[in-house]
Amino acid sequence: MRKNMVVVEGSYAVAHAVKVCRPNVISAYPITPQTHIVEDLAQFTADGEMNCEYMNVESEFSAISALIGASAAGARTYSSTTSQGLALMHEALFNASGMRLPIVMTVVNRALSAPINIWNDQQDSISQRDTGWIQLYAEDVQESADMTPQIYKLAEDEDVLLPAMACMDGFILSHVYEPVILLEQSLTDDFLPAYDPEFVLDTKNPMSFGAFADPGTYTEFRYKQEKAMGIALEKIEKIANEFKDIYGRYYGGLIDGYVLDDAEIVIMAMGSIIGTVKDTIDELRLEGESVGLLKIRSFRPFPADAIRKALKNAKVVITLDKNISIGKNEGALCTEVKACLHNTDNRVPVIGFMLGHGGRDIPISMIKKIINKAKLVEKGIFIESEFADLREDLA
C-alpha cells in the first residue's frame, strides 16, 4: 500500500477526490481555509483534466444558488466553503434540502466571527445542523478524501436525495502535508455510478421544483425529509462497507470504536481531535486505565441507536465539542448524546467539555485532565458541561 502513497496537501487530496467523482458543475468563491480546494479544481479544469462547468461567483450565496439550479437540471454538483461563507448560504441550504437536491459540499471547518478568527473549530457546520443536510466528519486527510465519493453515493441514492456536507477541520487537515493514497479513477468509476436523476428541469418535460406549499401539504415535505434521513442511517453503513470492499479502507460507518468494548470511561468526539484522543488512550491503557473512544462520523443523521448500543458497558461518558450553544453552556454533541440516552434504561452519566474554539491547541495533557475530572463523577455530577481550556485568569 505504501508504494501508492504520495505526500500532498490535504486540500489537494480532497480536490483530487472531487475530480475523480466527475462533477458536472462546480461553483467557487474563495474564503480561508477552503480556497486551496477550489484553486486546485480550477487548475484541473484549466489543464483539461476535468470536463465540467467551473463557475467563479460573486459570493457564497451565489455559489449555493447556482448549484441549486444546476442540480435541479440534473447535474452532479460541488462546492466548498467555511465559516461566514457557510453562514451566508444559510437560507439557500434549506432550499437545497427541501427540493431534495443531492449537492455535495466540503465544509472546511472554521470559527465564526466576531471576533474575527480564521482558525478551526466546528461552530460553522454545527450551526447548520437543522437545515436538512447530511453531515459527516473526517478524522484525517485520507478519510476526508475517501469520504467524497461515499457522500456523493449517499446523497444521490434515490431513496435519500439529500444534500450533504463532508466536514474536515480547517488548517489541521486542509493545509497539512501527509502521505495519502489518491483515489483511482477506475475504482471510483466502479464505486460511484453516473448521476442519472429521475426528475429534472427539462423544457421538453416541464415540472416545478420548490413550488408553493400551503398548510395542507407543507408538513408532509418535512416528514419525507426526515424519513430520508432515517434511510440514510442504513445507507451510510452500507456504503462505507462497499468502499472498504473496493478500496480496502474503512473508517467506520455512522460511528467507530477504539478499544471501546471494555472501556469504563468513553470519550466521544468528531473530527481531527480523534487522533489526539487515540494517542491519549494509548498512553493511559499502558497505565491500566479503562478508557476508550467512540468516534462520531455521522452527526446528521444522528446515530442514536448505534450510540446506545456502543455505550452499553460505559460507566462514564465524556463528550468533546469544538462548538457551543451559547445560553445552554453545552456543545451540540453533549446535548444530543444526553437526549438519545434519556428515555432508555442506560442512564450512564454524560459530562461535556467544550474546547479548541478558534483553533486553540488541544494537547494530550488536556485530554488527561478531562479524564481525571470524569473519574470524580462517581461522587456525583457537580458540573454537566464546561469549557476545558479557559485561560486561568478567566476560569
Side-chain angles (χ1 to χ4, degrees), residues 353 364-374 388 390 392:
F353 294 88
I364 286 177
S365 59
M366 177 62 63
I367 306 298
K368 288 183 175 178
K369 182 179 176 182
I370 288 170
I371 293 170
N372 285 332
K373 284 192 173 184
L390 276 181
E392 291 185 0

Side-chain angles (χ1 to χ4, degrees), residues 44 48-50 67 69-70 192 217 248 259 274 276 307 350 352 371-372:
F44 291 148
E49 298 181 31
M50 296 184 70
L67 294 192
L192 180 66
T217 57
V259 288
I274 296 293
T276 306
I307 290 172
V350 178
I371 293 170
N372 285 332

Side-chain angles (χ1 to χ4, degrees), residues 328 330 334 338 350-353 381-386:
K328 185 71 170 67
E330 283 183 359
C334 179
K338 287 195 299 183
V350 178
I351 54 174
F353 294 88
I381 300 176
F382 303 104
I383 299 176
E384 281 196 12
S385 177
E386 64 179 7

